[in-house]
Amino acid sequence: MNRPGKLHLPGWAPLIVLLAVAGMIALVVLPLAMVFVQALGNGVGGLLAPFREPDTWSAIRLTLIVAGISVPLNAIFGLAAAWAVTRFDFAGKSLLMALIDLPFSISPVISGLVWVLLFGAQGFFGAALDAMGIKVIFTVTGLVLATVLITLPFVARELIPLMQEQGAEEEAAAMTLGASGWSTFFRVTLPNVKWALLYGVLLCNARAMGEFGAVSVVSGHIRGLTNTLPLHVEILYNEYDFVGAFAVATLLAGLGLLTLVAKSLLEWRFSGELAATRRH
Amino acid sequence: MAITLTWLSLIVLIPLAALVIKPWELGLDGVWRTLTDDRVVAAFRLSFGAAAIAAAADAVLGLIVAWAIVRYSFPGRRLLDALVDLPFALPTAVAGIALTAIYAPNGPLGALFAQVGIKTAYSPLGVVLALTFIGLPFVVRAVQPVLEEVDREVEEAARTLGATDYQRIVRVVLPAILPAILGGVGLAFARAVGEYGSVIFIAGNLPMVSEIAPLLIIIKLEQFDYAGAAAVGLGMLVISFVALLALNLVQTWLTRRSRG
């Protein structure tokens, strides 16, 4: 496609570019820069101080655990859902696709709230769970449930349009040649979508590790026990340990930046193997 | 197929059913009383009002950014393009404390605004700023592909037929991308209404003034008022749904008109 730089509105070009760059710097770049500036407010010592606290490390560990459970679950779900939607015809398909997207349009706080309504002390199953001695809310289980709900659409959304474009011909060919369902899946389907799967997993993971609202509702903020990294940032901030809060935040900002870089790399290097909407 | 349905039921359908059922423990008038409580009404007005203003601001800035990226080549264009997704990638709590540090009275931009007597952080304006930040990528990413596709030949034809720059943009380009802008605005609005992490630090959370609806859910949960919390949540969903449906109808109508 021809890059239209030389095309229209030569007189307006500098103004529009200037406005776009200024707007992006003020609204988007400045907050990112601010994280690092504030974290270094007390020098490198201040930046490292929170990482001498065991609470910070248990928050890091918990964040890794929660993402480590939620992301694979939703990757499997994403594959299954994309397979179901693109390889079969059935009534209510558009309803199913709307349901898959639904978690994106509800508030993260509501995504946490629904689990409290089910499993909280006065929730629908609260008394029953209590009798069995099972705790969900204020435990890692609750954190995982909330995170899984929030991040459910990411992988499916990357795979569905791609698998729709690719069609089922190669799979049909493998099947006719005598491949079993599983070996077709592992040798044809999966290799065809691997980069889109990675792309989805990347976005899913970034959200899982950075989620705040939903986990905030189900966590109970028990330091060292149910405190993920974003919640730890909040606690430090509310204790007026601003430098500490920003120091921990640099870790999350770094995760975000890394995700952006990896995502751009995938779009650039493997654009042909991602869904059309991701090709630049 | 079975995996998909089971997982969707367990993770999405059953939990949402709980949200739909729970409020009615209060009875119809109990739900009505909860939703018409002054503090709840104020929170709804702030959440939906600020989300609408932020989505409108995103429409303007998002169009400018998308236009610059698609139509012009300049140094740093690819970087700008990649940075558009930063509000998606940056965890909301991090964005929240960073925005607060910038717009607090002693922050770099907050001090600037304070000099002209405008309070940014800890006010409804701060809420709007945070929501604008969080919604920007939706508009840019919705407009970008459509702007790339706008038929250049039609634009060229318009020019050779003597259309001015202004006419070409208003009569040829804008009608073609308006549905995409509205689509992006809808997504930005939906996200902004429920946003929590990036708003909660900058809002100041003053009841009746800068308290957002999602915070009210958390406050009610902390008071063990599950049904009240669910009523607020359900109310938010219903209003969002109606607003998005209206936007969708306008979008469909515009698409049809520009094709017809």
Side-chain angles (χ1 to χ4, degrees):
Chain A
M1 160 176 176
N2 57 335
R3 265 296 150 206
K6 45 213 173 296
L7 277 175
H8 313 121
L9 307 180
W12 290 25
L15 181 69
I16 290 182
V17 170
L18 201 71
L19 273 176
V21 171
M24 283 288 291
I25 289 178
L27 198 64
V28 176
V29 178
L30 198 59
L32 178 70
M34 201 64 182
V35 173
F36 294 95
V37 170
Q38 296 278 325
L40 286 166
N42 290 348
V44 179
L47 178 69
L48 295 178
F51 298 102
R52 291 195 198 93
E53 304 286 331
D55 284 347
T56 305
W57 286 104
S58 60
I60 292 174
R61 199 178 318 122
L62 185 61
T63 294
L64 291 175
I65 291 173
V66 170
I69 300 172
S70 315
V71 176
L73 283 178
N74 275 334
I76 295 170
F77 165 78
L79 276 166
W83 178 277
V85 167
T86 58
R87 298 295 181 256
F88 299 98
D89 261 323
F90 49 91
K93 194 191 247 187
S94 47
L95 182 70
L96 186 75
M97 285 172 74
L99 272 179
I100 293 173
D101 268 347
L102 192 63
F104 273 170
S105 41
I106 56 180
S107 169
V109 170
I110 294 180
S111 299
L113 165 73
V114 291
W115 298 109
V116 180
L117 295 180
L118 284 176
F119 302 127
Q122 295 156 49
F124 289 108
F125 304 114
L129 284 180
D130 202 36
M132 289 186 283
I134 303 173
K135 270 183 73 84
V136 174
I137 302 307
F138 305 152
T139 68
V140 178
T141 318
L143 295 174
V144 169
L145 286 173
T147 307
V148 166
L149 172 53
I150 282 281
T151 58
L152 182 116
F154 281 99
V155 175
R157 277 173 68 108
E158 295 307 323
L159 293 182
I160 290 174
L162 179 69
M163 286 171 70
Q164 221 141 31
E165 281 171 36
Q166 287 179 341
E169 281 161 30
E170 289 184 26
E171 286 155 16
M175 297 276 222
T176 350
L177 292 173
S180 69
W182 281 114
S183 87
T184 306
F185 176 78
F186 281 110
R187 298 197 168 184
V188 179
T189 313
L190 207 54
N192 273 344
V193 300
K194 59 176 186 286
W195 296 114
L197 179 66
L198 182 63
Y199 192 98
V201 164
L202 215 63
L203 299 185
C204 184
N205 180 65
R207 184 70 196 261
M209 289 190 170
E211 178 49 31
F212 177 71
V215 293
S216 166
V217 176
V218 294
S219 136
H221 303 89
I222 307 163
R223 275 183 97 132
L225 278 181
T226 61
N227 227 7
T228 62
L229 267 181
L231 297 174
H232 196 54
V233 169
E234 183 196 23
I235 286 193
L236 293 174
Y237 190 87
N238 287 343
E239 285 171 350
Y240 300 100
D241 180 3
F242 295 130
V243 172
F246 279 103
V248 175
T250 56
L251 214 56
L252 288 165
L255 167 77
L257 281 179
L258 216 63
T259 307
L260 271 192
V261 171
K263 179 178 159 302
S264 303
L265 273 179
L266 279 178
E267 280 166 6
W268 170 65
R269 181 76 183 74
F270 299 105
S271 66
E273 292 164 69
L274 298 176
T277 45
R278 297 301 189 188
R279 288 171 202 155
H280 280 227
Chain B
M1 195 70 222
I3 303 180
T4 312
L5 286 180
T6 316
W7 194 243
L8 263 183
S9 308
L10 287 177
I11 301 297
V12 181
L13 281 180
I14 295 176
L16 279 181
L19 179 73
V20 176
I21 297 169
K22 192 74 183 181
W24 310 107
E25 281 178 11
L26 298 169
L28 192 61
D29 58 316
V31 172
W32 182 249
R33 229 176 303 125
T34 307
L35 292 182
T36 49
D37 174 62
D38 285 347
R39 197 168 159 189
V40 175
V41 171
F44 271 36
R45 194 174 294 152
L46 175 66
S47 274
F48 285 96
I53 297 171
D58 283 330
V60 177
L61 184 58
L63 180 59
I64 293 173
V65 172
W67 195 285
I69 292 174
V70 172
R71 295 254 156 153
Y72 305 122
S73 50
F74 52 94
R77 191 183 62 89
R78 291 197 71 101
L79 181 66
L80 193 73
D81 191 16
L83 283 174
V84 167
D85 282 325
L86 193 66
F88 283 159
L90 201 63
T92 54
V94 177
I97 61 172
L99 286 168
T100 311
I102 291 169
Y103 291 103
N106 59 356
L109 291 185
L112 222 61
F113 280 107
Q115 276 180 350
V116 287
I118 301 174
K119 196 175 176 197
T120 42
Y122 317 124
S123 77
L125 183 60
V127 176
V128 172
L129 278 167
L131 295 181
T132 309
F133 167 85
I134 213 75
L136 185 67
F138 290 99
V139 176
V140 180
R141 293 306 182 219
V143 173
Q144 227 174 342
V146 185
L147 200 56
E148 270 167 11
E149 301 277 293
V150 171
D151 203 336
R152 267 180 225 298
E153 284 177 22
V154 177
E155 245 187 285
E156 241 10 271
R159 184 156 64 171
T160 43
L161 290 173
T164 62
D165 287 350
Y166 172 80
Q167 281 174 323
R168 219 168 54 233
I169 291 182
V170 173
R171 315 205 70 154
V172 178
V173 181
L174 265 189
I177 59 173
L178 201 55
I181 298 178
L182 283 182
V185 163
L187 291 174
F189 175 78
R191 170 76 195 260
V193 165
E195 180 56 24
Y196 178 72
S198 58
V199 184
I200 210 67
F201 298 98
I202 202 171
N205 308 323
L206 217 61
M208 306 295 296
V209 179
S210 61
E211 191 176 57
I212 54 170
L215 177 63
L216 220 50
I217 293 181
I218 291 186
I219 291 174
K220 286 193 183 290
L221 272 184
E222 277 166 2
Q223 297 161 345
F224 294 101
D225 180 8
Y226 284 18
V232 173
L234 189 59
M236 276 174 67
L237 282 189
V238 170
I239 301 177
S240 294
F241 182 73
V242 171
L244 290 177
L245 197 67
L247 204 64
N248 208 290
L249 287 177
V250 176
Q251 199 187 345
T252 317
W253 177 71
L254 278 173
T255 314
R256 260 200 218 124
R257 207 185 58 155
S258 72
R259 282 204 193 123

